[in-house]
Amino acid sequence: KRLEQLSGHPAQGAEHPPDSARPVRQSQFGPSPGRPSALRTLLALLLQNPRLVEHIDPIAARHLARLGPQGPLIGTVIEYLNEHPHIQCGGLLEGFRNRPEAEVIGRLMAWNTQVTDDRIVATFLDHLRYLTEERVREERLDCLIEKARREKLSTDELLELKQLTVHQEGSQ
């Protein structure tokens, strides 16, 4: 009412309390969980810039293909891009048109990664390094710790455990 007096205009929609307001329309892709995963960003950048596949060696490709539920999709995309080295985004989308992955690929190709053009390669490489090197180290560290709980580690394993622990402490 005070606002009505100050503005000289009647309040519109004031007859309904705030909790009866129309619900906010959700994105058709569901709620945004906050910061996107490194794998999602890597895959989106790869789909939007197919030449980035040149930075993925076969070992990294195999590792990425085993990561979580999205692993098989990124493995399929990497394989397709390696088979079609000069493909552009439109051709990539067309190549997956009649496949089950088409919808997800289309969404990721259209998704704004918030990465500026001058940072695409560096961001891609950072995510690739994180998803391959760091995860491999973390997995190996976990494996050695678990083995140490069950049995005595060899001298080489103890040295490796020490190096991995120092590296992990240095990266935090």
Side-chain angles (χ1 to χ4, degrees):
K1 291 191 177 222
R2 177 80 177 126
L3 188 56
E4 286 179 22
Q5 291 171 348
L6 291 172
S7 68
H9 297 285
Q12 295 179 355
E15 60 275 358
H16 300 292
D19 61 338
S20 69
R22 290 183 316 178
V24 175
R25 183 172 177 234
Q26 294 283 329
S27 165
Q28 68 182 19
F29 304 121
S32 176
R35 189 172 189 184
S37 71
L39 189 59
R40 179 181 178 176
T41 302
L42 179 100
L43 182 53
L45 289 171
L46 181 60
L47 290 167
Q48 295 167 12
N49 306 277
R51 286 212 158 135
L52 290 173
V53 77
E54 297 168 358
H55 297 285
I56 303 174
D57 64 53
I59 294 170
R62 280 194 303 275
H63 182 72
L64 290 170
R66 293 190 311 255
L67 290 177
Q70 306 94 345
L73 174 60
I74 196 162
T76 301
V77 169
I78 292 168
E79 182 180 325
Y80 189 86
L81 290 173
N82 283 325
E83 291 170 359
H84 303 88
H86 303 292
I87 199 163
Q88 300 294 316
C89 294
L92 179 58
L93 193 55
E94 181 65 23
F96 281 90
R97 181 175 53 152
N98 295 321
R99 297 173 70 167
E101 305 93 347
E103 182 183 349
V104 173
I105 288 173
R107 284 189 309 208
L108 288 172
M109 287 180 104
W111 178 52
N112 183 354
T113 61
Q114 304 292 314
V115 177
T116 59
D117 289 345
D118 62 325
R119 296 287 308 149
I120 289 173
V121 174
T123 302
F124 180 82
L125 293 175
D126 286 346
H127 282 73
L128 180 61
R129 195 171 6 269
Y130 168 75
L131 289 166
T132 55
E133 294 173 10
E134 292 301 316
R135 292 240 176 132
V136 169
R137 280 191 195 102
E138 289 171 9
E139 289 172 8
R140 181 64 179 152
L141 179 60
D142 291 343
C143 179
L144 287 171
I145 290 170
E146 185 60 35
K147 184 176 180 182
R149 289 182 182 141
R150 292 187 320 261
E151 59 190 83
K152 186 175 180 179
L153 297 177
S154 70
T155 306
D156 289 340
E157 289 171 328
L158 284 170
L159 179 60
E160 183 182 6
L161 179 62
K162 182 179 179 181
Q163 290 171 338
L164 289 170
T165 305
V166 167
H167 180 271
Q168 187 178 32
E169 289 171 355
S171 65
Q172 290 178 354

